[in-house]
Every structure is written in structure tokens, then in C-alpha cells.
Amino acid sequence: MVAYEHLTDRRPNVSADDLLAGFRPSERFGEVSFDTYRPDPNQPSQQQAVDALKAFGASINSAGGSGGGGFFSRLFGGGSQAPATKNGIYLDGGFGVGKTHLLASLWHMAEGPKAFGTFVEYTNLVGAMSFRKTVDALSGYKLVCIDEFELDDPGDTVLISRLMRELSDAGVKIAATSNTLPGSLGEGRFAASDFKREIQVLADQFDVLRVDGEDFRHRGLPSAPAPVTEIEFDATVQERFGGLGAVSVDNFSDLIEHLSHVHPSRYRQFIEGLEGIAWRNVETITEQAVALRFVVLADRLYDKDLPIISSGVPFDEVFTAEMMEGGYQKKYFRAVSRLTALARQGLTGEDA
């Protein structure tokens, strides 16, 4: 029998070990491999990316220890050693070309301790654990995978520049995906020109691979399904989710307020055990900080493939027009696309 509960009642207490254990591909990419990736024959860069990542993974598996040969020894020369390739690989390309699939495939291929998470999850990890404890924990890994790499503000720029430098010095291999070339990170969000040194340090860590393909921004966002009316809400939730286990039902405004009391690093555990999401009276978010926090929740819901039923405004109106056209538009477009897919799944049963 379905068990209804409220996300607003949840405040997960998560240990550092539990946080680190969550740094792995989501269920959506839990069993992918390079063999299950289907390169577009009209986009040769996709097959080139597969080949390069396979070679990168082989180099990780053949290396001793945690990767060997620190960043500064490579930078200033290692005696008679042959010049090393860069310690990181960076996939640049639009949405929907399979970059996360490729990154998860590399993670599955690599042997030894490793981590996989989004850029925001790593910055949140530092916020939850402290910078030094995060460096100490990740320095023992052979591979750190960073999905959806982006710089949101000057603090992130300095933080991640230092984190990459210290992990590279420890010999950790780094693989990242993004929709922005390393040297252009931060553009449109803050005065990136004031942080050229830090951004260049980041760019210097990576060999960049372009993955071409049709960008969903050129196709336009899919139309969000019409929300149910408030009169229909309870009956629709029962009809669609009645055969599931735990389902959360919340007033949207209460949930948005509650998110300010749950650290984003805990959002994976925040939705743990749920099989469906139901929100009453979804409304447009008008504050940027609130919107960015909600984007993180949308990503975690999509990772868990949780269907959504909602009343109120459709998800293509959950962010203001100014947000959808501003410096964080890539985040908001991604969130709207993912929420729309989950809403369609909730109402029709279509896969997200």
C-alpha cells in the first residue's frame, strides 16, 4: 500500500563516509559502458571521444599507486622521465550528446578508488566537509569524475582552482564534462576577467575533447505537460502512484522554504526511498539563490528517475524569464528539461 509522507519532514543527518559513498553514477548510468554508447556516424568527434577516454582509462589502470607523478613534478620536469600527458581530460559539447554516458563509462572502466559527481556536488562536499578534509579524502583516489563542470561565482573559481591543483599534485586523474570550454568558464556569471589566473590553472589541467552533436537549446525545450488542477490533484496522485511504495506530497512553497534548511550535499539522501513526487501549487521562483538550490534538487530527482505529479504553473514557468535568459540559463534549461520529462512520466508513464 502506498505510504504518503512529506519531504518537509525530512532532515537527513549524513556522515562524511556516507557523502563520499554517494559519489558514483546515478541509477540512470549505473550499468553503462563504452559498448552501450552509440556514436553518431555523422559526428566523428563522438567516436574520437570514446577512443580517447578508453586510452585514458587504460592509463589509469596501468598506473601504480594513485596515478603517480605529481602536477608540479610534471610542470617543472621530472629529470630523465618522458613528458607526461596532462592529468585531466575534458569533454566539451552541448546537451544531449552523451557526455555523461561517456564519463560514467570511464568511471566504470577505471579500477581502484574513484569518485563521480556533478560539479555542484563537489562544491557542496567542500561546504559540508571543509576544504582540507575533502582534499585529504579525494587525494587517495585514482580518478575523480566531474559532470556538468561550471563556475558560478568567484568563490567557486578560487576553490576549484585550488582543489584541482592539489588533487593533481597528488597524482589523481581528473575527467570532466561541460558545455563551456575551460578558458571560458564563468563568462556571463561574474567578472571572469578578474580571475584569469585561476581559470587558466583549471584549463591547464585538461586535454580538451570536443563532442559534437545537436544541442537541445537549438531544438527548443519540449513543452511541459499541463499540471493537474487542484480539484484533480488527490485523485490523480492516488491513480498514478497508488501502486507504489513511499510517495512524498508537499505544498511547493513549503518545500522551497524547507530546502534552505537541508544542505544540498544531502539531497541524495533527502529523497532516498521515494518512488514518486507530488507537489501542490507549483509557483514561479523569483529569487536566484532559491532557484539555484531548486536546480540541485531537480538534478537529484532526475538521477533517481522519480516521476512527478504537480498542480500550479507548468515547469517551463517555474523560473522567471530573466533567469532563463541570464548567466545561469544553462542550469535552468537543464532543470526545466528534466522536470518536464519527470512530469510527463508521472502523468503518462513515459520514460524520462
Side-chain angles (χ1 to χ4, degrees), residues 258-278:
H258 184 65
L259 290 181
S260 66
H261 304 292
V262 180
H263 195 277
S265 66
R266 301 176 179 180
Y267 284 3
R268 285 185 187 271
Q269 292 78 15
F270 183 56
I271 61 174
E272 193 170 296
L274 295 176
E275 296 181 35
I277 300 289

Side-chain angles (χ1 to χ4, degrees), residues 265-336:
S265 66
R266 301 176 179 180
Y267 284 3
R268 285 185 187 271
Q269 292 78 15
F270 183 56
I271 61 174
E272 193 170 296
L274 295 176
E275 296 181 35
I277 300 289
W279 291 333
R280 294 182 187 274
N281 298 317
V282 173
E283 56 191 23
T284 302
I285 299 171
T286 58
E287 296 182 33
Q288 189 98 272
V290 176
L292 290 172
R293 197 157 48 229
F294 182 62
V295 165
V296 179
L297 178 62
D299 286 339
R300 301 292 79 77
L301 293 173
Y302 188 76
D303 286 345
K304 295 286 286 184
D305 203 20
L306 289 177
I308 299 175
I309 291 173
S310 64
S311 64
V313 304
F315 286 122
D316 54 9
E317 297 178 17
V318 75
F319 305 114
T320 66
E322 290 77 14
M323 291 176 184
M324 296 297 288
E325 296 172 0
Y328 299 103
Q329 64 176 251
K330 292 178 182 178
K331 289 178 177 290
Y332 296 136
F333 268 71
R334 185 182 73 240
V336 170

Side-chain angles (χ1 to χ4, degrees), residues 24-287:
R24 55 186 300 113
S26 67
E27 290 89 337
R28 188 176 293 274
F29 298 100
E31 297 182 0
V32 300
S33 69
F34 292 119
D35 291 337
T36 61
Y37 181 76
R38 297 290 179 261
D40 184 344
N42 296 317
Q43 303 289 351
S45 63
Q46 294 186 11
Q47 182 60 54
Q48 291 166 5
V50 171
D51 296 339
L53 285 170
K54 283 183 176 179
F56 191 72
S59 72
I60 294 171
N61 292 342
S62 64
S66 61
F71 171 66
F72 292 108
S73 67
R74 291 191 300 278
L75 184 64
F76 296 111
S80 61
Q81 294 179 350
T85 58
K86 291 187 178 180
N87 219 38
I89 196 164
Y90 187 105
L91 302 181
D92 170 59
F95 296 97
V97 298
K99 300 188 306 296
T100 301
H101 185 138
L102 290 170
L103 190 66
S105 298
L106 173 65
W107 186 91
H108 287 298
M109 176 185 178
E111 300 167 355
K114 52 197 174 181
F116 183 105
T118 64
F119 175 85
V120 171
E121 286 182 296
Y122 284 104
T123 58
N124 288 335
L125 181 68
V126 172
M129 290 180 55
S130 82
F131 179 84
R132 180 47 47 196
K133 288 182 179 179
T134 300
V135 171
D136 290 344
L138 296 180
S139 291
Y141 287 27
K142 296 187 70 173
L143 173 67
V144 167
C145 294
I146 308 172
D147 200 20
E148 299 164 3
F149 201 110
E150 190 50 271
L151 297 182
D152 292 337
D153 57 47
D156 282 350
T157 303
V158 175
L159 174 72
I160 296 301
S161 174
R162 183 181 170 198
L163 179 64
M164 294 297 120
R165 193 164 57 240
E166 296 208 22
L167 292 181
S168 223
D169 191 37
V172 180
K173 297 290 187 181
I174 301 167
T177 72
S178 184
N179 311 297
T180 308
L181 287 168
S184 300
L185 289 165
E187 289 184 355
R189 290 163 172 76
F190 57 92
S193 59
D194 294 340
F195 295 87
K196 285 183 177 178
R197 180 179 177 276
E198 286 81 2
I199 291 173
Q200 191 59 48
V201 167
L202 288 173
D204 288 344
Q205 307 297 315
F206 298 107
D207 285 317
V208 178
L209 297 174
R210 176 68 188 176
V211 184
D212 295 308
E214 189 179 6
D215 189 325
F216 90 79
R217 287 169 296 174
H218 299 160
R219 303 194 300 266
L221 284 167
S223 298
V228 300
T229 67
E230 186 57 32
I231 295 175
E232 300 168 327
F233 183 85
D234 290 327
T236 304
V237 171
Q238 179 60 39
E239 176 187 352
R240 298 297 306 161
F241 292 162
L244 301 181
V247 173
S248 72
V249 181
D250 293 274
N251 290 314
F252 189 74
S253 60
D254 293 340
L255 171 66
I256 292 302
E257 194 281 328
H258 184 65
L259 290 181
S260 66
H261 304 292
V262 180
H263 195 277
S265 66
R266 301 176 179 180
Y267 284 3
R268 285 185 187 271
Q269 292 78 15
F270 183 56
I271 61 174
E272 193 170 296
L274 295 176
E275 296 181 35
I277 300 289
W279 291 333
R280 294 182 187 274
N281 298 317
V282 173
E283 56 191 23
T284 302
I285 299 171
T286 58
E287 296 182 33

